[in-house]
Amino acid sequence: MEVNPVDERDVTIEDDHPVFRVYMWSQPFPNVHVPPERVGWWNYAYELKECDVHQAIAWAQDNLAEGGRYTLYVCYRREDGRLTAVRIAGTEPTRIDRSR
């Protein structure tokens, strides 16, 4: 973790109504003939509104399949119309580089 002081006046826009996106990851039932690291993952995506980050995390944890994982993003629409998702919690099991 890197910590640096900042000037809070550099924020030009605040949004009090965040939109979260949750990816709920799970694997099929284990197969004795396939090593666990070779079993694929699938996900279901959900949009959460009218909640804060703590409520979004609680929802993800409460709705997680047994042995599953979740990835939580906060989303915003850029001026050019593209949607940006910033990961704020959880892990994505399909990522090769899990250190980030």
Side-chain angles (χ1 to χ4, degrees):
M1 177 188 319
E2 183 177 329
V3 179
N4 297 297
V6 297
D7 180 351
E8 74 280 359
R9 297 171 294 178
D10 67 349
V11 174
T12 57
I13 298 173
E14 290 185 5
D15 185 349
D16 290 334
H17 305 284
V19 175
F20 299 99
R21 186 165 288 191
V22 180
Y23 295 98
M24 306 296 279
W25 297 93
S26 58
Q27 290 182 296
F29 293 106
N31 182 326
V32 295
H33 304 292
V34 179
E37 66 273 7
R38 304 268 312 167
V39 176
W41 292 84
W42 70 78
N43 74 64
Y44 292 97
Y46 299 92
E47 184 175 272
L48 282 62
K49 296 180 177 180
E50 299 182 23
C51 64
D52 66 23
V53 67
H54 303 289
Q55 293 167 317
I57 289 171
W59 183 90
Q61 291 173 341
D62 290 346
N63 290 280
L64 199 57
E66 185 177 337
R69 300 179 188 175
Y70 72 91
T71 314
L72 177 64
Y73 297 85
V74 63
C75 298
Y76 65 93
R77 186 88 42 201
R78 295 172 22 159
E79 288 183 17
D80 64 5
R82 293 171 39 195
L83 184 67
T84 298
V86 179
R87 185 169 55 92
I88 57 175
T91 59
E92 183 181 327
T94 62
R95 281 184 67 128
I96 294 171
D97 178 12
R98 291 186 180 91
S99 64
R100 295 184 182 187

